[in-house]
Amino acid sequence: MDMGAVALAGTSPLTGAETLIRWLWGFRTARVMAALLVVVLGIVVSKFLVRLLGRPIARRFERQSVAQTVLGIIRVSTIIVATFVAGSIVGLGIGDIVLSVTVFSAVLGIVLAPIVGSIINGVFVLADNPYEIGDMIELEDGRRGFVDDITLRYTKILTLENTFLVVPNSSMRERDVTNFSAEDERTRLSLPLLVTYEGNLEEARRIMERAARDCSGVIEGGPDIRIGSARYPAKPTCYIDAYADSGVRLGLRYWTRKPYKISTVESAVRERIWAELEDADVEIAYPHQQLRFDEHSGIARVAVEDGNERAAPAERTESGVTARDPIESGESAPDAETEDTAE
């Protein structure tokens, strides 16, 4: 192509740089390298957008889990756009890319159905809001911990044993979850105690209530605590639960201010109760069993040992009375003269 043809076509003549670019663009390797560079640039831009929009989105959404999900969608969307641009650079049209993505997604949907189900359940977890990042929860198997992260696929829990527990959202929606930090952090605890019938019952109740009030972390009193339409006394209160076989079962109910050290508070209350029961007219009950033998029960063979010598085995006589061999038991047998004198 000569300069006249270029002028007639209404275009300006190509410079040296443009000629070099057109020449390099003819190689497929150069186009692939450019497409990879666009993808890398999209990843960098996605991180920059997350940093730039992080605070405004956090102020816009009160729930931290939702804000993190929105930022994740922005990052993924930016990378997807960069991938479409990279595909067009290597010669793939938008229709081809969409078709490839659709077929690939269908295959992954069949192979990775559990992950897809977790993502769908993750949307419901974010919408239902059963717990939030930072809440203390307890699973149905008794494990407690703090919610560290909520994604569309899983919930990450930092347990009280300082270990991470990653649970798929599909499993989280199917199990019972107790949230200690949902709205009101105050938690009511119960402590049963079995005392004997012979002890001072009123004194036992006063000791248990006083022991709970003197522990730090326990609400000492104040206005009643309202849960829904019900009201509960804020101060520790001891009730009589039942008259059991071995004693009277008392139940202490008290409230803690924070749910994060429940085991520590329970242990402190038990220690104070144990210390104050030593000088009180109260005895902790325990099961007793009494065995009785009569003429219908037969004969109970009982041997008493002193720890050094073993008692000789008993023998049954014709009269039904047990006897021992004096020689085997270590006793001296009476001689004939002694027996004659006795007669």
Side-chain angles (χ1 to χ4, degrees):
M1 180 180 296
D2 55 4
M3 298 301 295
V6 174
L8 292 175
T11 59
S12 59
L14 298 175
T15 61
E18 293 177 349
T19 303
L20 179 61
I21 293 174
R22 286 180 178 272
W23 179 73
L24 291 175
W25 201 255
F27 294 96
R28 184 174 181 83
T29 304
R31 294 197 298 269
V32 172
M33 294 297 294
L36 293 177
L37 183 60
V38 170
V39 173
V40 173
L41 183 62
I43 296 175
V44 174
V45 171
S46 66
K47 294 182 178 180
F48 174 76
L49 290 177
V50 169
R51 292 184 178 180
L52 181 64
L53 302 177
R55 291 185 178 180
I57 292 178
R59 290 193 298 264
R60 175 63 178 81
F61 298 96
E62 297 180 358
R63 296 172 53 190
Q64 184 179 355
S65 59
V66 177
Q68 291 184 357
T69 303
V70 172
L71 292 176
I73 293 175
I74 293 176
R75 176 182 296 177
V76 173
S77 301
T78 304
I79 296 176
I80 290 176
V81 172
T83 304
F84 275 100
V85 175
S88 62
I89 291 176
V90 296
L92 295 177
I94 296 179
D96 298 332
I97 297 176
V98 172
L99 180 61
S100 301
V101 172
T102 303
V103 175
F104 184 71
S105 300
V107 175
L108 287 182
I110 297 175
V111 178
L112 305 177
I115 297 180
V116 176
S118 296
I119 293 176
I120 296 176
N121 284 280
V123 175
F124 285 102
V125 168
L126 293 175
D128 297 338
N129 190 23
Y131 46 81
E132 188 52 64
I133 295 177
D135 289 352
M136 180 179 179
I137 63 175
E138 180 180 357
L139 303 180
E140 57 186 2
D141 55 4
R143 289 180 291 183
R144 295 180 183 176
F146 297 91
V147 179
D148 183 74
D149 192 13
I150 303 174
T151 66
L152 291 177
R153 294 188 297 109
Y154 59 83
T155 297
K156 184 183 293 185
I157 304 172
L158 179 61
T159 64
L160 300 183
E161 290 77 19
N162 197 26
T163 58
F164 271 117
L165 179 64
V166 180
V167 185
N169 289 327
S170 58
S171 178
M172 289 296 293
R173 292 196 67 226
E174 295 176 355
R175 64 175 62 191
D176 297 333
V177 179
T178 303
N179 193 338
F180 292 95
S181 311
E183 297 180 359
D184 191 350
E185 292 185 341
R186 294 175 297 183
T187 305
R188 193 179 74 168
L189 303 177
S190 299
L191 175 62
L193 182 65
L194 190 67
V195 298
T196 60
Y197 285 98
E198 294 78 12
N200 191 332
L201 192 60
E202 292 299 326
E203 185 177 2
R205 297 176 60 184
R206 289 193 300 268
I207 288 175
M208 296 181 67
E209 294 175 355
R210 183 173 61 251
R213 287 196 303 268
D214 294 341
C215 291
S216 60
V218 177
I219 299 177
E220 300 177 5
D224 293 344
I225 296 177
R226 182 172 182 177
I227 306 297
S229 59
R231 292 182 179 273
Y232 302 94
K235 64 179 181 179
T237 308
C238 185
Y239 300 95
I240 299 177
D241 284 346
Y243 296 104
D245 296 335
S246 302
V248 181
R249 187 170 66 240
L250 304 178
L252 175 65
R253 298 178 182 177
Y254 58 97
W255 292 83
T256 58
R257 295 185 178 90
K258 301 290 184 180
Y260 310 123
K261 296 183 178 180
I262 292 179
S263 299
T264 303
V265 174
E266 289 178 336
S267 178
V269 173
R270 291 189 178 99
E271 289 178 1
R272 287 186 175 273
I273 293 176
W274 179 266
E276 296 190 15
L277 285 179
E278 292 183 358
D279 301 329
D281 185 19
V282 179
E283 182 181 359
I284 298 178
Y286 56 90
H288 291 76
Q289 289 185 349
Q290 182 178 4
L291 302 179
R292 180 178 178 181
F293 292 88
D294 53 18
E295 63 275 8
H296 302 289
S297 304
I299 299 175
R301 300 180 180 271
V302 180
V304 179
E305 300 180 3
D306 59 0
N308 296 325
E309 297 180 357
R310 186 173 180 179
E315 297 181 356
R316 185 173 180 179
T317 62
E318 296 180 356
S319 59
V321 181
T322 58
R324 294 188 305 167
D325 188 351
I327 298 178
E328 293 182 359
S329 61
E331 300 176 358
S332 58
D335 50 10
E337 296 179 356
T338 305
E339 293 180 356
D340 294 339
T341 305
E343 292 178 356

